[in-house]
Amino acid sequence: MKELIFGNAVSEPICLALGFFDSVHIGHRTIIENMKKQALASRCKSAVFTFSNNIYKVFDANEKQVYTYEERKRVFDSLGIDFVVKAEIDETFKKISAKDFLCKLLDNSYVKHLFCGYDYKFGNNGVGNVEFLKNICLSRGIDVSVTQQVDYSGKRVSTTLIKSLLQQGNIVDANTLLVDKYFIEGEVVHGRNVGHIFGIPTANIIFSEDKLLPSCGVFATYAFVRGKRFKAVTNIGGKPTFGDNRLSVETMIEGLNEDIYGERLVLEFVEKIRNIKKFAEPKELSEQIHKDMNWRS
């Protein structure tokens, strides 16, 4: 998958899905799948537009992203997308008029067909909407396809809903809406060096400050490193048994016998096992972790 910068020339014909795609949930994927089908039928390249930084910060919202830009790229690549068109939003970008945004998007790109959700907004103050998009594209001979609302259990599927589920520790329902398992990608760093206490290799993960984590707790996870998958148990939060209440992501990986410090690791979340608790001594915690590791994979 290739990265393209918003506004730069694109010589190949593309079908393009528009949005932020923060969580690439089932509704987003419907838009993307419709785009991919059309790209195949019209012999175009498939492309997705997204922002490469945390859009919420620019609008003074103290929100984090379900998936960072790097994580979104991983998802897009897994979906077989040819191009990701990235833009960095800042104070200048957010003031671009809806018409100027489209002109910059379309003037330098050979866009054949655009795809978006029914509630897609763009341009300064979100003035641009689906009807505005259709009118501009009609004058340029560009087709527009709009995906309607997707519901789950009577609720509108949205990134806001997924964030709520994650913050409740409801990984199972969040994963249903995400289609694939929620994951964290980060670098393995040195931690407390107490893995020997548990008898299980332990890895501490540095994650982006813009990354939304699930509620604190102990989770059944899979760890992916060096192209291999390992069964794991991951602690998100503090370590009260050791008097450490700092937020961290620490994972115990079954069957790993290699030094992976400094490497990238992906953690896929399956379900929440239990809440974090303080044990009287490390031995009790070790016994509990071994019980936790018996989660059904």
Side-chain angles (χ1 to χ4, degrees), residues 27-273:
H28 295 153
R29 289 177 185 237
T30 301
I31 298 170
I32 292 171
E33 286 304 315
N34 290 339
M35 177 274 294
K36 284 177 56 185
K37 289 178 183 177
Q38 183 59 43
L40 183 62
S42 57
R43 297 183 179 179
C44 292
K45 295 293 186 181
S46 59
V48 175
F49 174 91
T50 191
F51 291 103
S52 59
N53 58 330
N54 188 345
I55 186 173
Y56 305 113
K57 283 185 176 179
V58 182
F59 290 92
D60 298 321
N62 187 27
E63 283 196 53
K64 298 183 183 293
Q65 303 167 99
V66 173
Y67 290 137
T68 65
Y69 174 64
E70 292 300 322
E71 290 171 337
R72 264 175 277 141
K73 281 200 303 178
R74 176 181 288 275
V75 178
F76 295 149
D77 194 41
S78 73
L79 295 176
I81 302 301
D82 296 312
F83 299 135
V84 57
V85 180
K86 67 175 183 178
E88 182 174 346
I89 190 166
D90 55 20
E91 291 299 323
T92 299
F93 190 103
K94 79 176 188 179
K95 294 176 182 177
I96 295 176
S97 70
K99 184 176 181 180
D100 286 346
F101 169 78
L102 285 181
C103 287
K104 188 170 183 178
L105 177 71
L106 302 175
D107 286 349
N108 297 313
S109 303
Y110 191 18
V111 178
K112 302 289 288 184
H113 203 133
L114 287 174
F115 294 77
C116 66
Y118 70 99
D119 56 351
Y120 179 61
K121 301 283 187 181
F122 58 97
N124 188 26
N125 294 320
V127 171
N129 57 20
V130 168
E131 290 307 312
F132 186 95
L133 179 65
K134 286 182 175 179
N135 289 335
I136 295 293
C137 289
L138 179 63
S139 67
R140 291 172 172 254
I142 298 172
D143 292 323
V144 176
S145 293
V146 180
T147 299
Q148 298 305 312
Q149 178 173 311
V150 175
D151 294 326
Y152 175 77
S153 295
K155 294 182 178 180
R156 180 176 70 89
V157 176
S158 67
T159 296
T160 299
L161 175 58
I162 291 169
K163 287 181 177 181
S164 176
L165 292 171
L166 290 173
Q167 290 169 333
Q168 294 168 33
N170 188 346
I171 301 297
V172 174
D173 283 349
N175 284 348
T176 297
L177 300 187
L178 292 170
V179 182
D180 294 324
K181 294 179 180 64
Y182 165 85
F183 69 92
I184 296 172
E185 180 180 1
E187 181 183 344
V188 179
V189 296
H190 288 277
R192 296 170 294 124
N193 296 317
V194 295
H196 63 280
I197 294 176
F198 309 127
I200 303 172
T202 303
N204 288 270
I205 313 301
I206 290 294
F207 52 92
S208 168
E209 65 177 11
D210 292 324
K211 174 70 174 182
L212 178 77
L213 298 178
S215 63
C216 293
V218 178
F219 298 85
T221 54
Y222 288 112
F224 292 80
V225 62
R226 295 182 179 176
K228 299 177 182 178
R229 187 183 81 165
F230 299 88
K231 189 177 181 182
V233 168
T234 299
N235 185 96
I236 293 183
K239 294 102 173 172
T241 302
F242 297 95
D244 185 352
N245 294 314
R246 293 173 297 177
L247 177 65
S248 65
V249 176
E250 183 179 59
T251 188
M252 280 62 73
I253 307 173
E254 187 176 67
L256 178 66
N257 298 307
E258 302 170 77
D259 183 345
I260 58 172
Y261 288 120
E263 297 192 30
R264 303 292 293 180
L265 182 147
V266 173
L267 287 175
E268 281 189 354
F269 285 68
V270 179
E271 62 182 351
K272 184 174 182 178
I273 299 174

